[in-house]
Amino acid sequence: MRFEYICNSCKHIWVAREGVPNHCPNCSISGKIEKTGNYLQPTACVKCKKEWYPKSKKPKECPFCRTPNWEDEKVKQRKAIFLDRDGTIIYDYQYMCSMNQVKFLPGALNGLKKFQELGFMVFIVVEQTSRKGEYYTEKKIIEINDHITKRLLVDFGILVHESHIYNKSGTNVINHLLKKYNLKAKDCWVVGDEDSNIDLAKNTKCKGLKIGKETAFKTLWQGALHIAKKVGA
């Protein structure tokens, strides 16, 4: 994955590999460079498996093996992880009043990176009804989700494709994402620290995995290793 950077001195924007460059390629000033939050994902041929970074136009054939329909969705297998947030990725507070309270659980970042290495698309799905109170409005949940997804991308190179909230049942949300991204439920997992997450997996015909202190998988990292074994990685 490559990231977009901006020089806060001359405002030059460019794309480079992960790791903040030492200096701006335009004005040569150092110390004033940061990620914009935008990224460029590599694409791959389903036949020869070689990856490259596409330009503005999608090529009609693979530039390496010249295979047409190199990105045929019927051939390329797509899979996803639908993650609960509080108690799964970050510490679970009864009320979260500040973004400063967002702290990743031990093993969460390694688990997310493992899912990314395994080729899973990552989605965050949060139940609103379990977070009642003036400090946990729908607006607040969206703000926290946006903060987490941007921080994961900018600071750790972890891409969360989308984040959603739901009331009472997340079945409609997951079914929508399955259809939108041409995903098969049997290739997807719902992971969280609540029994409701496992119920959600059953209701959407996805696989389910409960993690937490009272389970065999204490952290998201341990859960990711278990899923890796299940998918034969």
Side-chain angles (χ1 to χ4, degrees), residues 25-109:
N26 184 57
C27 68
S28 298
I29 291 179
S30 60
K32 294 188 176 182
I33 300 168
E34 62 182 22
K35 290 179 180 178
T36 65
N38 297 326
Y39 58 89
L40 181 65
Q41 283 188 289
T43 189
C45 174
V46 295
K47 183 177 181 180
C48 70
K49 308 299 181 183
K50 290 187 178 180
E51 293 187 352
W52 73 94
Y53 286 87
K55 296 182 179 180
S56 57
K57 284 189 177 182
K58 178 180 176 181
K60 294 181 180 179
E61 59 184 20
C62 170
F64 297 100
C65 67
R66 303 300 176 187
T67 299
N69 300 321
W70 53 271
E71 204 180 23
D72 189 348
E73 295 299 337
K74 293 180 180 179
V75 178
K76 186 170 65 174
Q77 294 182 348
R78 308 185 77 174
K79 49 191 177 182
I81 297 286
F82 301 102
L83 292 169
D84 187 17
R85 190 190 69 191
D86 301 344
T88 301
I89 301 174
I90 63 174
Y91 282 95
D92 190 355
Y93 296 97
Q94 185 174 5
Y95 297 114
M96 188 176 293
C97 307
S98 169
M99 297 302 174
N100 293 329
Q101 290 179 284
V102 175
K103 295 182 179 180
F104 295 108
L105 285 163
L109 295 175

Side-chain angles (χ1 to χ4, degrees), residues 17 22 28 31 44 47-49 94 111 115-116 129 151 161 186 191 193 210 213 215 217 228 232:
R17 296 182 184 277
N22 293 325
S28 298
K47 183 177 181 180
C48 70
K49 308 299 181 183
Q94 185 174 5
F115 290 138
Q116 194 164 269
T129 52
R151 187 176 167 193
H161 287 78
K186 67 180 182 66
V191 180
D193 65 322
K210 185 177 179 181
K213 294 180 180 179
T215 71
F217 312 104

